Amino acid sequence: MTVAKPSNWQEIQAEVQRRIYEREWPPGRIIPGEVDLAEEFGVARATVNRALRELAETGLLERRRKAGTRVALHPVSKATLEIPVIRQEIESRGMEYGYRRLSIDKGGHEASAEVPIAGQVLHIRALHIADGAPYVHEERWISLETVPKAAKLGFEEVSANEWLLANAPYTRGDIEITAGASEGHVAEALEAAAGTPLLVIRRVTWDHDAPVTCVRLTYAAGHKLTTQLGG
């Protein structure tokens, strides 16, 4: 059966996205040039340019004059609310970054409203540190069916936050921001008195209909969340 080639910029955009999401073009890879893609698809170069330009505006591609077009290291980073690399967030504030994995285990999991991932998951607890003080407690569940490579990693030196953004593209996400009272191991890790109100961000990311990861980030007392609205 012959598969029809993409014939307009939307179809080319969809094909480029497929190659990225299916890892034919992994993060950081320079993709073929506009002339080569135009020849492959049998369309005008301007049509390819439109498709790549649209993907660059979403953050999936990085385009640099004379350097070519490459797959972004952190695909889909230009969401309405960005998913930051916590290390970079801390360092951008002029603070020294530190990281400590607190626990890790692997096993079966039943999906719930709080953690909508079923099957084998990797469950990680970690602490991100700024200038020697607790910054944010990270509790994360990674679907090993969607991201099987994670099963072989210990996340002792590089956080799951940073590794996933570089290695597990997502197509959409859900986010919930609440205030919660510190308690238990989270309060202990953040050196917060029991009952202290803390900022909690719960986020689930998906690769189409497959869950990638669910994370609950609890920030130390006094943390301020800032973001920019597009316009």
Side-chain angles (χ1 to χ4, degrees):
M1 179 178 178
T2 302
V3 178
K5 292 183 178 181
S7 59
N8 56 48
W9 73 266
Q10 294 98 332
E11 291 176 353
I12 292 171
Q13 182 185 54
E15 173 60 14
V16 171
Q17 286 178 313
R18 183 195 67 77
R19 294 181 187 187
I20 293 171
Y21 293 143
E22 294 184 10
R23 315 297 284 174
E24 292 181 24
W25 294 345
R29 174 171 172 173
I30 296 178
I31 71 172
E34 291 180 4
V35 173
D36 293 330
L37 289 174
E39 181 177 353
E40 177 185 348
F41 298 135
V43 299
R45 179 176 176 179
T47 304
V48 173
N49 178 275
R50 172 75 184 277
L52 299 186
R53 187 171 71 247
E54 292 285 333
L55 291 173
E57 289 178 358
T58 69
L60 199 60
L61 294 175
E62 295 177 351
R63 309 191 76 193
R64 295 181 182 178
R65 189 176 180 182
K66 298 183 179 180
T69 300
R70 69 175 65 236
V71 180
L73 286 175
H74 304 140
V76 199
S77 61
K78 294 182 181 177
T80 302
L81 183 64
E82 293 186 358
I83 296 181
V85 174
I86 297 174
R87 173 183 60 78
Q88 294 176 353
E89 177 183 304
I90 291 172
E91 292 175 345
S92 71
R93 299 185 180 193
M95 308 171 82
E96 182 179 356
Y97 174 74
Y99 168 79
R100 185 163 73 248
R101 191 199 72 188
L102 302 176
S103 67
I104 185 170
D105 59 83
K106 179 171 58 176
H109 186 269
E110 288 190 17
S112 65
E114 181 68 15
V115 183
I117 301 176
Q120 288 293 305
V121 302
L122 194 64
H123 181 214
I124 306 160
R125 291 179 51 243
L127 183 67
H128 300 264
I129 301 163
D131 279 350
Y135 183 81
V136 60
H137 177 274
E138 174 184 353
E139 183 166 18
R140 182 181 296 274
W141 296 261
I142 301 174
S143 169
L144 295 180
E145 295 180 12
T146 309
V147 194
K149 290 181 181 179
K152 299 179 181 180
L153 303 177
F155 297 106
E156 294 179 333
E157 297 182 1
V158 176
S159 72
N161 159 255
E162 186 160 357
W163 185 86
L164 284 167
L165 284 173
N167 293 278
Y170 62 94
T171 57
R172 62 186 177 93
D174 306 314
I175 189 167
E176 179 181 272
I177 302 174
T178 60
S182 63
E183 60 183 1
H185 60 262
V186 176
E188 181 181 354
L190 293 175
E191 300 176 6
T196 301
L198 302 175
L199 175 69
V200 180
I201 295 178
R202 174 185 165 276
R203 186 172 58 236
V204 184
T205 52
W206 307 77
D207 183 2
H208 299 284
D209 293 328
V212 175
T213 183
C214 176
V215 63
R216 184 189 298 117
L217 300 171
T218 306
Y219 288 82
H223 181 79
K224 180 172 66 175
L225 176 66
T226 59
T227 188
Q228 293 183 337
L229 298 177

